[in-house]
């Protein structure tokens, strides 16, 4: 048995309201070598309910990695990030801001709120897929995650 075969399935929480970006992200992870289980929520409120196991998400699994958009309905990505990183039980989960914004203010704010990484979504579909695969390669293959 090679080590890959005994690796556990990685649970990713994708917080994204753009259908096209959801489809592209899912396609990219399907191409990857890593077994992933991806949960999708489409607004900041559902993201927090999912992470804090509230309302319709009481049975939610804790994610190993969070991909978080900034421009979200209800609570934006900055609000969600702040709540995650202030919570002792959630703050060790890596959060990658995956967003269309290349605004330096957004980038600075994300790092002030302890994002683990900030990635601007490429416009081109192929480049978007490559970016997601690079995130997957770095965070899920190269990096050691806290448990």
């Amino acid at each position: 048995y090679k080590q890959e075969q005994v690796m556990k399935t990685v649970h990713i929480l994708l917080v994204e309201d753009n259908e096209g970006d959801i489809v592209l992200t899912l396609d990219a992870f399907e191409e990857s070598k890593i077994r992933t289980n991806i949960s999708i929520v489409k607004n900041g409120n559902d993201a927090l309910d999912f992470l804090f196991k509230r309302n319709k998400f009481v049975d939610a699994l804790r994610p190993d990695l969070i991909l978080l958009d900034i421009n979200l309905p209800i609570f934006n990505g900055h609000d969600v990030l702040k709540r995650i990183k202030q919570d002792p039980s959630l703050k060790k989960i890596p959060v990658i801001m995956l967003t269309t914004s290349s605004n330096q203010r957004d980038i600075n704010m994300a790092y002030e709120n302890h994002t683990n990484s900030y990635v601007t979504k490429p416009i081109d579909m192929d480049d978007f897929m490559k970016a997601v695969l690079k995130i997957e390669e770095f965070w899920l293959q190269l990096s050691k995650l806290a448990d």
Side-chain angles (χ1 to χ4, degrees):
Y1 272 30
K2 288 214 296 288
Q3 199 173 359
E4 282 94 58
Q5 289 169 323
V6 291
M7 269 178 69
K8 71 180 184 75
T9 301
V10 177
H11 181 212
I12 297 168
L13 176 61
L14 175 61
V15 188
E16 173 62 72
D17 64 328
N18 179 310
E19 281 302 326
D21 290 351
I22 290 171
V23 169
L24 284 176
T25 305
L26 292 175
D27 286 352
F29 277 109
E30 260 171 38
E31 282 187 20
S32 92
K33 296 179 272 306
I34 295 232
R35 291 211 331 253
T36 52
N37 168 20
I38 302 180
S39 299
I40 301 161
V41 292
K42 295 181 181 176
N43 66 61
N45 189 57
D46 281 355
L48 292 171
D49 280 357
F50 187 100
L51 290 163
F52 288 103
K53 300 180 188 247
R54 299 186 298 227
N55 302 322
K56 62 183 174 187
F57 298 107
V58 288
D59 297 324
L61 290 172
R62 176 192 170 89
D64 299 300
L65 183 72
I66 300 167
L67 298 178
L68 181 59
D69 190 20
I70 289 179
N71 303 308
L72 294 166
I74 309 178
F75 298 117
N76 71 27
H78 291 302
D79 297 331
V80 173
L81 175 65
K82 206 177 288 183
R83 294 287 305 280
I84 292 168
K85 295 301 182 179
Q86 285 169 350
D87 186 89
S89 69
L90 299 175
K91 68 181 181 186
K92 288 192 282 193
I93 302 171
V95 179
I96 292 131
M97 303 306 272
L98 182 60
T99 180
T100 50
S101 173
S102 54
N103 179 322
Q104 195 60 50
R105 228 183 109 252
D106 278 332
I107 297 169
N108 292 348
M109 190 186 295
Y111 281 109
E112 277 164 26
N113 290 321
H114 310 289
T115 189
N116 296 85
S117 182
Y118 192 103
V119 178
T120 304
K121 289 177 191 168
I123 306 299
D124 178 76
M125 257 176 53
D126 285 342
D127 291 343
F128 185 97
M129 298 276 282
K130 282 183 198 139
V132 172
L133 286 168
K134 280 185 184 143
I135 288 170
E136 181 262 345
E137 187 181 4
F138 180 81
W139 285 100
L140 304 181
Q141 294 178 38
L142 190 64
S143 300
K144 295 275 176 260
L145 300 182
D147 58 6

